[in-house]
C-alpha cells in the first residue's frame, strides 16, 4: 500500500511537471502572437503598422481588431486554465491532469475563449456594448513605434475578459436573446 502511494505521488509530480512545461510553451507562443503587431521592423515601422495600418473603415483595420480579439481571447482562456492549475496544483492527481489539461480539452477551452472574444468584438462593433468602458472602434489605430491608444487598450481588456470568463459571453447572449424576443 505504501509503495503504491509513493509511486502514485511520483507519477502525479511527473505529469504536473509535463503539463507545466506544455503550458509554458503554449503561453510563450500565444504571447508572441499577441505582441506580433508591435515588433519593430527595419526602418521604424512595426509589423502591425505594415499589416494593418489603413483608414479606420477599411478591411485591413477590421482585420486588425479581429486578430486582436482572437489573440487576446486565446490568452484569456489560457490564463483561466493557468489560474485553475496554479490554485489546485498540489491537489491535482494524474487522472485530473490527464482529463482536464489534455491537449484536446485545452484546445476546446481556448477555442471557446477565442470565439467569446470575437463575439465581444462584434458586440462592441455593433454598439450592443457601448459607453465609456468600451472602446470606440472607429478610432482604433496602430501607428509605428507609438504606444497603443486607449481604444486598443479597452479592446484588449474586453477581449481578454471574453476569453477568460466562462460566463460573460453566454450571459450576454442570453440577455440579448431575451431582449430580442420581448421586442418581437
Amino acid at each position: 500500500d505504501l509503495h503504491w502511494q509513493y509511486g502514485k505521488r511520483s507519477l502525479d509530480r511527473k505529469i504536473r511537471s509535463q503539463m507545466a512545461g506544455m503550458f509554458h510553451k503554449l503561453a510563450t507562443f500565444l504571447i508572441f502572437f499577441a505582441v506580433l503587431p508591435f515588433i519593430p521592423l527595419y526602418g521604424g515601422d512595426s509589423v502591425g503598422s505594415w499589416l494593418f495600418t489603413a483608414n479606420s473603415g477599411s478591411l485591413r483595420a477590421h482585420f486588425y481588431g479581429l486578430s486582436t480579439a482572437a489573440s487576446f481571447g486565446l490568452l484569456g482562456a489560457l490564463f483561466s486554465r493557468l489560474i485553475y492549475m496554479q490554485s489546485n496544483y498540489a491537489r491535482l492527481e494524474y487522472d485530473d491532469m490527464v482529463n482536464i489539461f489534455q491537449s484536446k480539452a485545452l484546445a476546446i477551452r481556448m477555442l471557446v475563449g477565442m470565439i467569446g472574444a470575437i463575439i465581444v468584438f462584434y458586440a462592441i462593433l455593433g454598439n450592443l456594448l457601448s459607453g465609456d468602458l468600451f472602446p470606440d472602434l472607429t478610432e482604433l489605430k496602430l501607428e509605428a513605434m507609438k504606444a497603443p491608444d486607449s481604444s486598443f487598450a479597452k479592446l484588449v481588456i474586453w477581449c481578454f475578459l471574453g476569453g477568460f470568463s466562462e460566463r460573460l459571453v453566454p450571459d450576454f447572449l442570453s440577455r440579448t436573446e431575451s431582449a430580442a424576443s420581448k421586442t418581437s
Side-chain angles (χ1 to χ4, degrees):
D1 214 22
L2 189 59
H3 179 68
W4 178 85
Q5 189 176 25
Y6 282 110
K8 183 181 176 307
R9 190 171 12 172
S10 175
L11 183 60
D12 288 345
R13 277 192 214 122
K14 183 177 179 181
I15 194 71
R16 280 189 226 127
S17 176
Q18 287 175 348
M19 292 296 158
M22 184 217 27
F23 270 119
H24 180 263
K25 290 175 187 172
L26 185 59
T28 302
F29 174 76
L30 289 177
I31 289 170
F32 174 76
F33 182 68
V35 299
L36 182 66
F38 307 103
I39 295 174
L41 294 173
Y42 183 74
D45 281 343
S46 66
V47 173
S49 63
W50 179 71
L51 288 173
F52 305 115
T53 301
N55 56 12
S56 62
S58 75
L59 183 62
R60 283 174 43 191
H62 177 77
F63 183 69
Y64 169 51
L66 190 59
S67 67
T68 299
S71 62
F72 282 94
L74 285 169
L75 278 175
L78 178 67
F79 189 66
S80 170
R81 295 292 86 196
L82 286 170
I83 295 287
Y84 180 82
M85 185 179 180
Q86 180 185 13
S87 62
N88 297 298
Y89 192 76
R91 291 184 301 241
L92 291 172
E93 295 181 355
Y94 178 81
D95 290 338
D96 298 327
M97 295 296 286
V98 170
N99 292 328
I100 296 170
F101 297 108
Q102 67 175 312
S103 58
K104 289 178 185 176
L106 189 58
I108 288 171
R109 175 63 186 102
M110 292 178 65
L111 182 63
V112 168
M114 182 176 68
I115 291 169
I118 290 171
I119 289 170
V120 167
F121 172 73
Y122 280 112
I124 293 169
L125 188 65
N127 288 323
L128 295 172
L129 297 173
S130 59
D132 291 340
L133 289 176
F134 298 97
D136 181 3
L137 295 181
T138 61
E139 296 179 5
L140 192 63
K141 60 183 177 258
L142 179 65
E143 297 178 31
M145 304 307 288
K146 289 190 178 178
D149 60 355
S150 66
S151 290
F152 178 81
K154 290 176 184 178
L155 178 65
V156 165
I157 294 299
W158 281 107
C159 290
F160 188 87
L161 285 173
F164 177 81
S165 173
E166 295 181 13
R167 295 294 335 143
L168 179 71
V169 173
D171 289 348
F172 166 73
L173 292 174
S174 294
R175 285 192 310 273
T176 304
E177 178 188 24
S178 117
S181 66
K182 287 179 185 177
T183 60
S184 57

